[in-house]
Amino acid sequence: GFLEDGILVQDRGRIRLRYLHSPSFPWDMAAVLPTDLLYLRLGLGVPAVRANRCLRVPRLFEAFDRRETRTAHPDAFRVAKLMLYVFIAIHWYGCLYFALSARLGLGADTWVCPNASRPGFSRPLRQYLHSFYFSTLILTTVGDTPEPQREEEFLFVTAGFLLAVLGFATITGSISSVISNMNAADAAFYPNPEPVRCYLRAQGASGRLVRRVARWHQHLQMQRKLPAERAVLQHLPRGLQAEVAASVHLPALRRVGLFQSWERSVLQQLVLRLQPQVFGPGEFVCRRGDVGHEMYFVREGQLAVVAEDGVTQLAVLGEGLYFGEISLINIKGNTSGNRRTANIMSIGYSDLFCLSKEDLAEVLAEFPSARAMMEAKGRELLLRMGKLDVHAEAAAAAVAQEAECRAQALETALEGLQTQAARLLAQLESSAFKLALRVEHLERQLRRRQPAGEAG
């Protein structure tokens, strides 16, 4: 098929018509001509009669380009393609060497290919392997080849060395391009550790801290973690971003008990607001008393709720759990306000989802049932911790109810004032209309009396 306005056309009639009018059609026709029939006249020793098959080379390059854009390992494919080009070049040069040897006479000197009288060279496979080996020595500029004896041999070896210099330059440039592309891809996905290392060394940081930073970067690359996810997906449309993020994070997000009853469309909107973060061993995610600006969902790893000494573990949080919502949701009667109520420390390397306060407010505004569920679980947790003032909660609820009643009274009074204002406006418009009619009537009477007065 072919693309037309971004739509894949698979109708065979249209494909056939498009191909017949394409520039590649006459070249393909010339490539499939039965030139093999010339073997009947010239014999099998003239393989050049099939040279028209090389006209299909542009199709091969097109296939390579398409495969390179579709494969999941483009760098490995480029290396394999480069090695294929090298083997083909050595093969062709070896064929030319054997053809020149046959022209000059097999076994005529030490440079040309030995003839069948030499032990082991009666088989064509041995002759081919010798030619391939000789071609490899020349094209790799290894040397250690017999010294040429004739002018044709000198020219052949000189041309081979020149091709080898050009080939090595091409191979070196291609390999450098592949390596630079791999480094650029890694730099786009993972943060570069060198600036951080240079900064720590310049500031005289301890070796322990430098090793922790190095291990954190190493963990990201080994586990294929991507902290800058939004930067990578920023050029995709929002719908496609949601699909990609859902395909990557939705299985882990469904393990969170809070989201198990939510629909897929809701989770796709939620997953766009999540920020992946990785914490190292012994690193505190949050400390008690800090002002809370995010809540966290555990994707992988384990976290410990520790006491004030930072060592005693009170509880362990595993994947599928979440924490930090108490400081983000305004629960009435919460004595700690918007501050953290516990110390959370990562036991090993922990992969978390972070949801900011602003994004959480947007999500909960769209889904009130989720807000009620989170507030209920937050109250239960505050009651167990002794952080919920029931009287203050009741007083806050009474104040909220009183404020709601006042708001309703104000709305009722405002509606009455709007009704009265509408009536006054209608009366004013009616009076103005009547006054305009009166003024117009008086003006007409005045115009009728003026000519009579002038005549008198």
Side-chain angles (χ1 to χ4, degrees):
F2 63 94
L3 293 176
E4 186 177 54
D5 297 332
I7 301 175
L8 181 62
V9 178
Q10 294 181 326
D11 181 67
R12 293 190 175 185
R14 296 181 61 184
I15 294 174
R16 185 183 303 110
L17 185 62
R18 184 173 183 270
Y19 174 65
L20 292 176
H21 290 84
S22 65
S24 60
F25 175 71
W27 295 100
D28 292 343
M29 284 291 297
V32 298
L33 290 178
T35 54
D36 310 70
L37 298 177
L38 295 176
Y39 282 135
L40 301 176
R41 181 178 181 87
L42 302 177
L44 297 178
V46 191
V49 298
R50 301 181 67 248
N52 61 322
R53 302 292 188 267
C54 295
L55 296 177
R56 296 284 292 178
V57 170
R59 288 289 190 177
L60 179 65
F61 292 155
E62 181 182 358
F64 282 165
D65 293 338
R66 293 192 179 189
R67 175 53 56 188
E68 185 174 334
T69 57
R70 296 180 182 181
T71 182
H73 306 282
D75 295 324
F77 181 79
R78 294 190 191 103
V79 173
K81 183 175 64 174
L82 181 61
M83 296 304 298
L84 176 64
Y85 291 158
V86 171
F87 287 144
I88 290 177
I90 295 175
H91 166 76
W92 282 351
Y93 199 75
C95 293
L96 292 176
Y97 165 74
F98 186 79
L100 181 60
S101 299
R103 178 186 177 90
L104 298 177
L106 296 176
D109 54 36
T110 58
W111 186 86
V112 298
C113 183
N115 55 18
S117 62
R118 185 171 174 179
F121 280 85
S122 58
R123 297 180 301 162
L125 177 61
R126 182 63 180 273
Q127 294 177 344
Y128 172 75
L129 292 178
H130 177 83
S131 302
F132 193 89
Y133 171 74
F134 193 88
S135 174
T136 304
L137 293 178
I138 294 179
L139 293 183
T140 56
T141 64
V142 174
D144 197 19
T145 58
E147 184 179 355
Q149 303 295 330
R150 309 180 190 183
E151 296 178 354
E152 295 87 346
E153 298 173 357
F154 278 106
L155 292 175
F156 186 84
V157 174
T158 303
F161 285 151
L162 293 177
L163 290 175
V165 172
L166 179 61
F168 266 108
T170 304
I171 293 173
T172 304
S174 300
I175 295 297
S176 301
S177 176
V178 170
I179 294 174
S180 62
N181 290 335
M182 294 174 61
N183 294 335
D186 289 341
F189 276 85
Y190 308 108
N192 187 9
E194 289 303 324
V196 183
R197 293 176 183 174
C198 295
Y199 172 77
L200 294 177
R201 291 169 184 168
Q203 299 299 324
S206 62
R208 179 175 175 273
L209 181 59
V210 173
R211 288 191 296 271
R212 284 184 59 189
V213 173
R215 285 196 298 266
W216 185 82
H217 284 93
Q218 185 179 7
H219 173 77
L220 288 184
Q221 294 193 1
M222 291 179 62
Q223 300 298 325
R224 312 298 293 177
K225 300 296 178 61
L226 182 60
E229 186 175 276
R230 289 190 179 181
V232 176
L233 304 178
Q234 63 180 345
H235 300 294
L236 297 178
R238 185 173 180 82
L240 193 55
Q241 284 185 24
E243 288 290 336
V244 173
S247 65
V248 176
H249 300 308
L250 198 57
L253 202 62
R254 285 191 181 277
R255 292 197 296 267
V256 179
L258 180 64
F259 304 135
Q260 289 180 354
S261 60
W262 289 21
E263 299 179 359
R264 180 182 175 88
S265 58
V266 178
L267 295 179
Q268 285 182 345
Q269 296 301 321
L270 176 67
V271 78
L272 287 176
R273 296 178 171 90
L274 298 178
Q275 288 285 348
Q277 292 186 3
V278 179
F279 292 88
E283 186 176 356
F284 279 88
V285 180
C286 60
R287 293 180 180 271
R288 184 177 180 180
D290 294 343
V291 178
H293 298 285
E294 309 92 4
M295 69 173 298
Y296 298 92
F297 305 91
V298 184
R299 181 186 180 187
E300 293 178 0
Q302 290 184 340
L303 298 101
V305 182
V306 298
E308 294 299 330
D309 57 2
V311 178
T312 307
Q313 295 186 6
L314 305 178
V316 177
L317 304 177
E319 64 179 44
L321 299 180
Y322 60 95
F323 60 92
E325 76 282 2
I326 297 177
S327 59
L328 301 187
I329 304 175
N330 296 322
I331 299 178
K332 301 177 179 65
N334 184 6
T335 58
S336 59
N338 62 342
R339 296 187 177 276
R340 302 294 188 188
T341 59
N343 300 314
I344 308 295
M345 183 184 68
S346 177
I347 298 177
Y349 282 99
S350 302
D351 191 3
L352 308 179
F353 286 132
C354 174
L355 183 63
S356 66
K357 186 174 184 178
E358 294 77 13
D359 294 335
L360 179 63
E362 294 179 5
V363 173
L364 298 182
E366 296 176 0
F367 310 108
S369 59
R371 182 182 186 88
M373 187 185 305
M374 294 185 69
E375 288 181 352
K377 292 186 177 181
R379 287 192 186 93
E380 294 179 3
L381 184 58
L382 288 175
L383 283 173
R384 289 198 301 266
M385 298 174 58
K387 298 287 186 180
L388 184 62
D389 189 351
V390 181
H391 300 289
E393 183 182 12
V399 171
Q401 186 176 3
E402 183 181 358
E404 182 68 22
C405 293
R406 289 182 179 179
Q408 291 181 356
L410 289 175
E411 289 180 358
T412 304
L414 181 60
E415 290 179 357
L417 291 176
Q418 289 177 347
T419 303
Q420 293 180 4
R423 290 177 182 175
L424 291 175
L425 182 61
Q427 292 176 2
L428 179 62
E429 290 178 354
S430 176
S431 301
F433 181 70
K434 292 178 180 180
L435 182 61
L437 291 177
R438 246 183 111 184
V439 170
E440 185 179 358
H441 178 68
L442 292 175
E443 288 179 349
R444 285 199 300 268
Q445 289 183 354
L446 181 61
R447 283 195 296 270
R448 284 198 300 267
R449 292 179 180 180
Q450 280 182 352
E454 292 176 355

